[in-house]
Amino acid sequence: MASRTSRDVLGRGLRVLGQAIREQPRIFAVAVVGSVLFGAMVIASAYVVGGVVGEVVVPSIARGQVGVGTLALAAAALFGISVLRVVGIFGRRLGAGYMQYRLQAAYRRRVTRRYLDLPVAWHHRNSTGTLLSNANSDVEAAWYPIAPLPFAVGTLVMLVGAIVSLFATDWALALVGLAVFPALFALNVVYSRRMAPRQARAQRLRAEVSGIAHESFDGALVVKTMGREAQETARFASRAGELRDSLVAVGRLRGVFDPLLETLPSLGTLAVLVVGAFRLRQGAISVTELVSVAFLFTVLAFPVRAIGWVLAELPRSVAGWDRVRRVLDATGEMPYGQRVLDPATSGPATLTFTDVHFSYPPAEAHQPGAQVLGEVGFTVPAGRTVALVGPTGAGKSTITSLAVRLVDPDSGTVELDGVDVRELTAASLTGTVALVAQVPFVFDDTVRANIALDRPGIDDEDVWAALRLAEADGFVAALPDGLDTMVGERGTSLSGGQRQRLTLARALAGRPRLLVLDDATSAVDPRVEAAILAGLRSSAGAPGVPAASILVVAYRRATIALADEVIYVEHGRVVARGTHTELLATVPGYVDLVTAYEQAEVDRAQERPYDDEVAPLPSGLEIEVDR
């Protein structure tokens, strides 16, 4: 694999550069024009310097006096060439930098947009560290050669001009150039081929190190409570050591080739002086021509390195591009339809599951998927509250994900007001349904911004109405700056229960017609939870209160008792439905589960109060939700 990568890295790298040129042709043209102007002035300066030495300096030494007019003319020529070189450098660097940063910004947006289009199942198969690396270091690596690319293109033009100038001056000196320049190019090709597997491995290890670091920090609560600090540090250190060794290997190879790439032009200059002295003695060339050619080889040493810079970065660019393309070419997105629910309808929506089957995709292509749901069918009638109850792993969270179309069923349908959710536009779906997840996510912003989310039509009055309905207005009013209080990263200044009520208020502020609560008040005192659900039912349709149907994943007896109907699921199937009282009388498994939950709540209340009354957990700590 490494050998194959080494052989085709040049061709693949050139295709990546071609993609960049196609996307930014005008900026690239400006940069190349600047580079060509610089190259032309380099060649011109060589012949001007040769002319000054041969036509001004040597005759002046021979005569014992300096011609002021001739010297002033030579100085003016050199000054004019220097000015044009500065203009060329400015155009080249400005164009190259602008092109590189535009491409990086564009592809960061494309990668991020692709993340949002891909289904949740795809994200389950890719670590957060890898995704962060794709959007950041991989995008940077893909377009890293863009900075020296215009310089390299201008250098190629300059080399052609230099070879033509050499042949116009003397064929023997031209042969020296024909020997040195291809040798430089060949050395760079060998360098890039050897570098390819090293750069690819280093880029992969960067993502792995990022992934381990993110996982360790995000799981700090588990690491600390389980006493795994030393082991996690060792795990990170081991992978960081591999990255260090990989980068050392890159540096070692660069340390071998860089001196060679520096030495060849110097050897070329030496060869020109030796051959040129012999040709000068024969009378084939003049002092002016010899000095011009020698100076040309001297000044070409640096620009020729630009070709080496591009070739040296191609392996890293190809590695980054492959990782970026893996995201952009990923399949499985869920395209939205064109249908829109009747905008005149403002009442609660009806949710219907019909013979729904769902399996999570396998981690490996050759493995079978794990079936989570089978033959699931039920209805949440308009304006009614339906509680979803079942043991851990029964598929409750998957049902809520299907209800808001985070995933699509393998077969069967999920409908809103009789319309398959796959046929709805994104705006119609998100404007109708709101999900409040078990693990609340709060942005590092103000309370107002977290609830309004810059959605049009949501003013402070709507925000306070949503807070009141979520039983959150009291603690928000007590905050130092009220709605303008910064809550910190992931809401670190709030307790768990407060964060849950804040996310509930966020959902309510959008006035959804269907509210899906996935154990969304687990950290809230049971009395507060009951007050919230009772308020949603009794106040629906009142000013500032959305009229919504409710699908709630429930555990507490008091919460379940508020539901109009209870759906009891086991092993991904609906095994019973009815009122709470009916299921208590007819389903032993339901009785055992509710009793166990109730006893757990009693034990928890005895051990410690709910998160509403205690200090918040540290930043970045989350609990994995069972599917």
PDB file of all heavy atoms in Angstrom, residues 277-307:
ATOM      1  N   ALA A 277      35.158  29.421 -17.679  1.00  0.00           N
ATOM      2  CA  ALA A 277      36.559  29.882 -17.769  1.00  0.00           C
ATOM      3  C   ALA A 277      37.249  29.268 -18.980  1.00  0.00           C
ATOM      4  O   ALA A 277      38.021  29.941 -19.692  1.00  0.00           O
ATOM      5  CB  ALA A 277      37.288  29.524 -16.473  1.00  0.00           C
ATOM      6  N   PHE A 278      36.986  27.998 -19.215  1.00  0.00           N
ATOM      7  CA  PHE A 278      37.570  27.323 -20.383  1.00  0.00           C
ATOM      8  C   PHE A 278      37.054  27.935 -21.679  1.00  0.00           C
ATOM      9  O   PHE A 278      37.829  28.204 -22.612  1.00  0.00           O
ATOM     10  CB  PHE A 278      37.229  25.828 -20.324  1.00  0.00           C
ATOM     11  CG  PHE A 278      37.754  25.045 -21.488  1.00  0.00           C
ATOM     12  CD1 PHE A 278      39.115  24.742 -21.596  1.00  0.00           C
ATOM     13  CD2 PHE A 278      36.896  24.610 -22.498  1.00  0.00           C
ATOM     14  CE1 PHE A 278      39.596  24.015 -22.689  1.00  0.00           C
ATOM     15  CE2 PHE A 278      37.368  23.892 -23.582  1.00  0.00           C
ATOM     16  CZ  PHE A 278      38.723  23.588 -23.682  1.00  0.00           C
ATOM     17  N   ARG A 279      35.744  28.207 -21.742  1.00  0.00           N
ATOM     18  CA  ARG A 279      35.157  28.809 -22.948  1.00  0.00           C
ATOM     19  C   ARG A 279      35.621  30.258 -23.117  1.00  0.00           C
ATOM     20  O   ARG A 279      35.790  30.741 -24.245  1.00  0.00           O
ATOM     21  CB  ARG A 279      33.633  28.769 -22.857  1.00  0.00           C
ATOM     22  CG  ARG A 279      33.058  27.377 -22.810  1.00  0.00           C
ATOM     23  CD  ARG A 279      33.224  26.654 -24.112  1.00  0.00           C
ATOM     24  NE  ARG A 279      32.334  27.200 -25.149  1.00  0.00           N
ATOM     25  CZ  ARG A 279      32.411  26.872 -26.435  1.00  0.00           C
ATOM     26  NH1 ARG A 279      33.339  26.015 -26.850  1.00  0.00           N
ATOM     27  NH2 ARG A 279      31.559  27.394 -27.300  1.00  0.00           N
ATOM     28  N   LEU A 280      35.863  30.960 -22.013  1.00  0.00           N
ATOM     29  CA  LEU A 280      36.369  32.329 -22.087  1.00  0.00           C
ATOM     30  C   LEU A 280      37.783  32.353 -22.660  1.00  0.00           C
ATOM     31  O   LEU A 280      38.128  33.219 -23.478  1.00  0.00           O
ATOM     32  CB  LEU A 280      36.347  32.962 -20.685  1.00  0.00           C
ATOM     33  CG  LEU A 280      36.824  34.412 -20.576  1.00  0.00           C
ATOM     34  CD1 LEU A 280      35.887  35.334 -21.380  1.00  0.00           C
ATOM     35  CD2 LEU A 280      36.872  34.859 -19.131  1.00  0.00           C
ATOM     36  N   ARG A 281      38.607  31.368 -22.243  1.00  0.00           N
ATOM     37  CA  ARG A 281      39.971  31.279 -22.762  1.00  0.00           C
ATOM     38  C   ARG A 281      39.966  30.982 -24.252  1.00  0.00           C
ATOM     39  O   ARG A 281      40.827  31.463 -24.994  1.00  0.00           O
ATOM     40  CB  ARG A 281      40.723  30.194 -22.002  1.00  0.00           C
ATOM     41  CG  ARG A 281      42.195  30.068 -22.410  1.00  0.00           C
ATOM     42  CD  ARG A 281      42.877  29.007 -21.589  1.00  0.00           C
ATOM     43  NE  ARG A 281      42.815  29.338 -20.153  1.00  0.00           N
ATOM     44  CZ  ARG A 281      43.246  28.520 -19.198  1.00  0.00           C
ATOM     45  NH1 ARG A 281      43.729  27.316 -19.519  1.00  0.00           N
ATOM     46  NH2 ARG A 281      43.161  28.869 -17.947  1.00  0.00           N
ATOM     47  N   GLN A 282      38.942  30.218 -24.700  1.00  0.00           N
ATOM     48  CA  GLN A 282      38.832  29.913 -26.128  1.00  0.00           C
ATOM     49  C   GLN A 282      38.292  31.094 -26.921  1.00  0.00           C
ATOM     50  O   GLN A 282      38.310  31.072 -28.155  1.00  0.00           O
ATOM     51  CB  GLN A 282      37.905  28.709 -26.349  1.00  0.00           C
ATOM     52  CG  GLN A 282      38.491  27.378 -25.879  1.00  0.00           C
ATOM     53  CD  GLN A 282      37.547  26.226 -26.128  1.00  0.00           C
ATOM     54  OE1 GLN A 282      36.326  26.400 -26.142  1.00  0.00           O
ATOM     55  NE2 GLN A 282      38.104  25.032 -26.350  1.00  0.00           N
ATOM     56  N   GLY A 283      37.744  32.095 -26.215  1.00  0.00           N
ATOM     57  CA  GLY A 283      37.168  33.242 -26.899  1.00  0.00           C
ATOM     58  C   GLY A 283      35.746  33.021 -27.361  1.00  0.00           C
ATOM     59  O   GLY A 283      35.204  33.843 -28.124  1.00  0.00           O
ATOM     60  N   ALA A 284      35.112  31.937 -26.876  1.00  0.00           N
ATOM     61  CA  ALA A 284      33.742  31.635 -27.296  1.00  0.00           C
ATOM     62  C   ALA A 284      32.727  32.539 -26.612  1.00  0.00           C
ATOM     63  O   ALA A 284      31.630  32.775 -27.135  1.00  0.00           O
ATOM     64  CB  ALA A 284      33.423  30.170 -27.007  1.00  0.00           C
ATOM     65  N   ILE A 285      33.056  33.013 -25.408  1.00  0.00           N
ATOM     66  CA  ILE A 285      32.149  33.898 -24.671  1.00  0.00           C
ATOM     67  C   ILE A 285      32.954  35.062 -24.120  1.00  0.00           C
ATOM     68  O   ILE A 285      34.206  35.003 -24.049  1.00  0.00           O
ATOM     69  CB  ILE A 285      31.437  33.167 -23.517  1.00  0.00           C
ATOM     70  CG1 ILE A 285      32.463  32.592 -22.526  1.00  0.00           C
ATOM     71  CG2 ILE A 285      30.511  32.090 -24.042  1.00  0.00           C
ATOM     72  CD1 ILE A 285      31.824  32.015 -21.269  1.00  0.00           C
ATOM     73  N   SER A 286      32.234  36.089 -23.687  1.00  0.00           N
ATOM     74  CA  SER A 286      32.874  37.262 -23.100  1.00  0.00           C
ATOM     75  C   SER A 286      32.752  37.219 -21.593  1.00  0.00           C
ATOM     76  O   SER A 286      32.024  36.386 -21.021  1.00  0.00           O
ATOM     77  CB  SER A 286      32.220  38.543 -23.632  1.00  0.00           C
ATOM     78  OG  SER A 286      30.856  38.600 -23.207  1.00  0.00           O
ATOM     79  N   VAL A 287      33.445  38.142 -20.929  1.00  0.00           N
ATOM     80  CA  VAL A 287      33.341  38.246 -19.472  1.00  0.00           C
ATOM     81  C   VAL A 287      31.904  38.562 -19.067  1.00  0.00           C
ATOM     82  O   VAL A 287      31.375  38.030 -18.091  1.00  0.00           O
ATOM     83  CB  VAL A 287      34.306  39.339 -18.950  1.00  0.00           C
ATOM     84  CG1 VAL A 287      34.077  39.584 -17.461  1.00  0.00           C
ATOM     85  CG2 VAL A 287      35.749  38.937 -19.196  1.00  0.00           C
ATOM     86  N   THR A 288      31.268  39.439 -19.860  1.00  0.00           N
ATOM     87  CA  THR A 288      29.877  39.799 -19.566  1.00  0.00           C
ATOM     88  C   THR A 288      28.989  38.568 -19.559  1.00  0.00           C
ATOM     89  O   THR A 288      28.160  38.361 -18.651  1.00  0.00           O
ATOM     90  CB  THR A 288      29.362  40.805 -20.598  1.00  0.00           C
ATOM     91  OG1 THR A 288      30.137  41.998 -20.515  1.00  0.00           O
ATOM     92  CG2 THR A 288      27.894  41.135 -20.366  1.00  0.00           C
ATOM     93  N   GLU A 289      29.141  37.701 -20.551  1.00  0.00           N
ATOM     94  CA  GLU A 289      28.304  36.501 -20.653  1.00  0.00           C
ATOM     95  C   GLU A 289      28.604  35.511 -19.534  1.00  0.00           C
ATOM     96  O   GLU A 289      27.699  34.892 -18.971  1.00  0.00           O
ATOM     97  CB  GLU A 289      28.510  35.857 -22.017  1.00  0.00           C
ATOM     98  CG  GLU A 289      27.962  36.700 -23.168  1.00  0.00           C
ATOM     99  CD  GLU A 289      28.368  36.173 -24.525  1.00  0.00           C
ATOM    100  OE1 GLU A 289      29.466  35.579 -24.628  1.00  0.00           O
ATOM    101  OE2 GLU A 289      27.595  36.348 -25.482  1.00  0.00           O
ATOM    102  N   LEU A 290      29.884  35.366 -19.181  1.00  0.00           N
ATOM    103  CA  LEU A 290      30.247  34.442 -18.111  1.00  0.00           C
ATOM    104  C   LEU A 290      29.668  34.903 -16.778  1.00  0.00           C
ATOM    105  O   LEU A 290      29.089  34.109 -16.024  1.00  0.00           O
ATOM    106  CB  LEU A 290      31.768  34.321 -18.004  1.00  0.00           C
ATOM    107  CG  LEU A 290      32.288  33.440 -16.855  1.00  0.00           C
ATOM    108  CD1 LEU A 290      31.734  32.023 -16.974  1.00  0.00           C
ATOM    109  CD2 LEU A 290      33.819  33.438 -16.835  1.00  0.00           C
ATOM    110  N   VAL A 291      29.814  36.182 -16.477  1.00  0.00           N
ATOM    111  CA  VAL A 291      29.271  36.705 -15.220  1.00  0.00           C
ATOM    112  C   VAL A 291      27.748  36.579 -15.197  1.00  0.00           C
ATOM    113  O   VAL A 291      27.150  36.224 -14.175  1.00  0.00           O
ATOM    114  CB  VAL A 291      29.699  38.180 -15.028  1.00  0.00           C
ATOM    115  CG1 VAL A 291      28.984  38.794 -13.818  1.00  0.00           C
ATOM    116  CG2 VAL A 291      31.198  38.276 -14.852  1.00  0.00           C
ATOM    117  N   SER A 292      27.104  36.846 -16.322  1.00  0.00           N
ATOM    118  CA  SER A 292      25.640  36.753 -16.375  1.00  0.00           C
ATOM    119  C   SER A 292      25.163  35.335 -16.088  1.00  0.00           C
ATOM    120  O   SER A 292      24.233  35.121 -15.310  1.00  0.00           O
ATOM    121  CB  SER A 292      25.145  37.201 -17.758  1.00  0.00           C
ATOM    122  OG  SER A 292      25.456  38.561 -17.989  1.00  0.00           O
ATOM    123  N   VAL A 293      25.834  34.362 -16.717  1.00  0.00           N
ATOM    124  CA  VAL A 293      25.409  32.969 -16.527  1.00  0.00           C
ATOM    125  C   VAL A 293      25.696  32.507 -15.097  1.00  0.00           C
ATOM    126  O   VAL A 293      24.862  31.854 -14.463  1.00  0.00           O
ATOM    127  CB  VAL A 293      26.110  32.053 -17.547  1.00  0.00           C
ATOM    128  CG1 VAL A 293      25.825  30.585 -17.235  1.00  0.00           C
ATOM    129  CG2 VAL A 293      25.661  32.391 -18.957  1.00  0.00           C
ATOM    130  N   ALA A 294      26.861  32.846 -14.557  1.00  0.00           N
ATOM    131  CA  ALA A 294      27.193  32.452 -13.184  1.00  0.00           C
ATOM    132  C   ALA A 294      26.233  33.079 -12.188  1.00  0.00           C
ATOM    133  O   ALA A 294      25.756  32.429 -11.246  1.00  0.00           O
ATOM    134  CB  ALA A 294      28.639  32.855 -12.869  1.00  0.00           C
ATOM    135  N   PHE A 295      25.931  34.369 -12.401  1.00  0.00           N
ATOM    136  CA  PHE A 295      24.984  35.041 -11.511  1.00  0.00           C
ATOM    137  C   PHE A 295      23.588  34.438 -11.642  1.00  0.00           C
ATOM    138  O   PHE A 295      22.860  34.305 -10.654  1.00  0.00           O
ATOM    139  CB  PHE A 295      24.950  36.540 -11.835  1.00  0.00           C
ATOM    140  CG  PHE A 295      24.093  37.334 -10.891  1.00  0.00           C
ATOM    141  CD1 PHE A 295      24.558  37.677  -9.634  1.00  0.00           C
ATOM    142  CD2 PHE A 295      22.809  37.734 -11.247  1.00  0.00           C
ATOM    143  CE1 PHE A 295      23.773  38.410  -8.752  1.00  0.00           C
ATOM    144  CE2 PHE A 295      22.021  38.460 -10.370  1.00  0.00           C
ATOM    145  CZ  PHE A 295      22.504  38.792  -9.111  1.00  0.00           C
ATOM    146  N   LEU A 296      23.226  34.040 -12.867  1.00  0.00           N
ATOM    147  CA  LEU A 296      21.918  33.434 -13.094  1.00  0.00           C
ATOM    148  C   LEU A 296      21.780  32.147 -12.300  1.00  0.00           C
ATOM    149  O   LEU A 296      20.747  31.903 -11.655  1.00  0.00           O
ATOM    150  CB  LEU A 296      21.715  33.167 -14.585  1.00  0.00           C
ATOM    151  CG  LEU A 296      20.365  32.594 -15.000  1.00  0.00           C
ATOM    152  CD1 LEU A 296      19.237  33.547 -14.647  1.00  0.00           C
ATOM    153  CD2 LEU A 296      20.345  32.289 -16.497  1.00  0.00           C
ATOM    154  N   PHE A 297      22.818  31.305 -12.300  1.00  0.00           N
ATOM    155  CA  PHE A 297      22.762  30.071 -11.516  1.00  0.00           C
ATOM    156  C   PHE A 297      22.668  30.378 -10.027  1.00  0.00           C
ATOM    157  O   PHE A 297      21.988  29.679  -9.270  1.00  0.00           O
ATOM    158  CB  PHE A 297      23.999  29.216 -11.805  1.00  0.00           C
ATOM    159  CG  PHE A 297      23.795  28.221 -12.905  1.00  0.00           C
ATOM    160  CD1 PHE A 297      23.816  28.617 -14.232  1.00  0.00           C
ATOM    161  CD2 PHE A 297      23.562  26.891 -12.619  1.00  0.00           C
ATOM    162  CE1 PHE A 297      23.619  27.712 -15.250  1.00  0.00           C
ATOM    163  CE2 PHE A 297      23.361  25.971 -13.635  1.00  0.00           C
ATOM    164  CZ  PHE A 297      23.382  26.384 -14.959  1.00  0.00           C
ATOM    165  N   THR A 298      23.330  31.430  -9.589  1.00  0.00           N
ATOM    166  CA  THR A 298      23.299  31.788  -8.172  1.00  0.00           C
ATOM    167  C   THR A 298      21.904  32.220  -7.730  1.00  0.00           C
ATOM    168  O   THR A 298      21.399  31.776  -6.698  1.00  0.00           O
ATOM    169  CB  THR A 298      24.296  32.917  -7.896  1.00  0.00           C
ATOM    170  OG1 THR A 298      25.604  32.481  -8.284  1.00  0.00           O
ATOM    171  CG2 THR A 298      24.307  33.269  -6.418  1.00  0.00           C
ATOM    172  N   VAL A 299      21.268  33.074  -8.508  1.00  0.00           N
ATOM    173  CA  VAL A 299      19.951  33.581  -8.114  1.00  0.00           C
ATOM    174  C   VAL A 299      18.846  32.565  -8.367  1.00  0.00           C
ATOM    175  O   VAL A 299      17.759  32.681  -7.806  1.00  0.00           O
ATOM    176  CB  VAL A 299      19.619  34.905  -8.842  1.00  0.00           C
ATOM    177  CG1 VAL A 299      20.603  35.985  -8.441  1.00  0.00           C
ATOM    178  CG2 VAL A 299      19.606  34.733 -10.357  1.00  0.00           C
ATOM    179  N   LEU A 300      19.113  31.565  -9.235  1.00  0.00           N
ATOM    180  CA  LEU A 300      18.090  30.554  -9.485  1.00  0.00           C
ATOM    181  C   LEU A 300      17.990  29.531  -8.361  1.00  0.00           C
ATOM    182  O   LEU A 300      17.001  28.802  -8.268  1.00  0.00           O
ATOM    183  CB  LEU A 300      18.384  29.819 -10.798  1.00  0.00           C
ATOM    184  CG  LEU A 300      17.959  30.505 -12.091  1.00  0.00           C
ATOM    185  CD1 LEU A 300      18.370  29.670 -13.291  1.00  0.00           C
ATOM    186  CD2 LEU A 300      16.469  30.757 -12.121  1.00  0.00           C
ATOM    187  N   ALA A 301      19.002  29.462  -7.502  1.00  0.00           N
ATOM    188  CA  ALA A 301      19.010  28.435  -6.456  1.00  0.00           C
ATOM    189  C   ALA A 301      17.783  28.541  -5.559  1.00  0.00           C
ATOM    190  O   ALA A 301      17.135  27.544  -5.235  1.00  0.00           O
ATOM    191  CB  ALA A 301      20.293  28.551  -5.632  1.00  0.00           C
ATOM    192  N   PHE A 302      17.427  29.752  -5.161  1.00  0.00           N
ATOM    193  CA  PHE A 302      16.278  29.915  -4.261  1.00  0.00           C
ATOM    194  C   PHE A 302      14.947  29.666  -4.968  1.00  0.00           C
ATOM    195  O   PHE A 302      14.117  28.895  -4.458  1.00  0.00           O
ATOM    196  CB  PHE A 302      16.301  31.306  -3.630  1.00  0.00           C
ATOM    197  CG  PHE A 302      15.091  31.604  -2.801  1.00  0.00           C
ATOM    198  CD1 PHE A 302      14.889  30.978  -1.581  1.00  0.00           C
ATOM    199  CD2 PHE A 302      14.125  32.487  -3.248  1.00  0.00           C
ATOM    200  CE1 PHE A 302      13.772  31.245  -0.817  1.00  0.00           C
ATOM    201  CE2 PHE A 302      12.994  32.760  -2.490  1.00  0.00           C
ATOM    202  CZ  PHE A 302      12.830  32.134  -1.265  1.00  0.00           C
ATOM    203  N   PRO A 303      14.671  30.290  -6.135  1.00  0.00           N
ATOM    204  CA  PRO A 303      13.382  30.009  -6.788  1.00  0.00           C
ATOM    205  C   PRO A 303      13.170  28.537  -7.124  1.00  0.00           C
ATOM    206  O   PRO A 303      12.053  28.032  -7.025  1.00  0.00           O
ATOM    207  CB  PRO A 303      13.445  30.867  -8.059  1.00  0.00           C
ATOM    208  CG  PRO A 303      14.396  31.962  -7.730  1.00  0.00           C
ATOM    209  CD  PRO A 303      15.415  31.338  -6.843  1.00  0.00           C
ATOM    210  N   VAL A 304      14.265  27.837  -7.522  1.00  0.00           N
ATOM    211  CA  VAL A 304      14.106  26.417  -7.858  1.00  0.00           C
ATOM    212  C   VAL A 304      13.625  25.624  -6.648  1.00  0.00           C
ATOM    213  O   VAL A 304      12.912  24.633  -6.780  1.00  0.00           O
ATOM    214  CB  VAL A 304      15.438  25.854  -8.405  1.00  0.00           C
ATOM    215  CG1 VAL A 304      15.433  24.336  -8.426  1.00  0.00           C
ATOM    216  CG2 VAL A 304      15.684  26.385  -9.814  1.00  0.00           C
ATOM    217  N   ARG A 305      13.963  26.084  -5.437  1.00  0.00           N
ATOM    218  CA  ARG A 305      13.492  25.402  -4.248  1.00  0.00           C
ATOM    219  C   ARG A 305      11.971  25.432  -4.139  1.00  0.00           C
ATOM    220  O   ARG A 305      11.385  24.581  -3.469  1.00  0.00           O
ATOM    221  CB  ARG A 305      14.079  26.053  -2.993  1.00  0.00           C
ATOM    222  CG  ARG A 305      15.552  25.814  -2.760  1.00  0.00           C
ATOM    223  CD  ARG A 305      15.900  24.328  -2.725  1.00  0.00           C
ATOM    224  NE  ARG A 305      15.004  23.554  -1.919  1.00  0.00           N
ATOM    225  CZ  ARG A 305      15.097  23.445  -0.605  1.00  0.00           C
ATOM    226  NH1 ARG A 305      16.057  24.059   0.048  1.00  0.00           N
ATOM    227  NH2 ARG A 305      14.244  22.690   0.068  1.00  0.00           N
ATOM    228  N   ALA A 306      11.320  26.422  -4.778  1.00  0.00           N
ATOM    229  CA  ALA A 306       9.855  26.497  -4.726  1.00  0.00           C
ATOM    230  C   ALA A 306       9.234  25.235  -5.306  1.00  0.00           C
ATOM    231  O   ALA A 306       8.205  24.753  -4.816  1.00  0.00           O
ATOM    232  CB  ALA A 306       9.360  27.721  -5.476  1.00  0.00           C
ATOM    233  N   ILE A 307       9.842  24.704  -6.356  1.00  0.00           N
ATOM    234  CA  ILE A 307       9.350  23.441  -6.929  1.00  0.00           C
ATOM    235  C   ILE A 307       9.492  22.335  -5.895  1.00  0.00           C
ATOM    236  O   ILE A 307       8.597  21.500  -5.704  1.00  0.00           O
ATOM    237  CB  ILE A 307      10.120  23.098  -8.209  1.00  0.00           C
ATOM    238  CG1 ILE A 307       9.941  24.217  -9.241  1.00  0.00           C
ATOM    239  CG2 ILE A 307       9.654  21.757  -8.772  1.00  0.00           C
ATOM    240  CD1 ILE A 307      10.761  24.021 -10.501  1.00  0.00           C
TER     241      ILE A 307
END
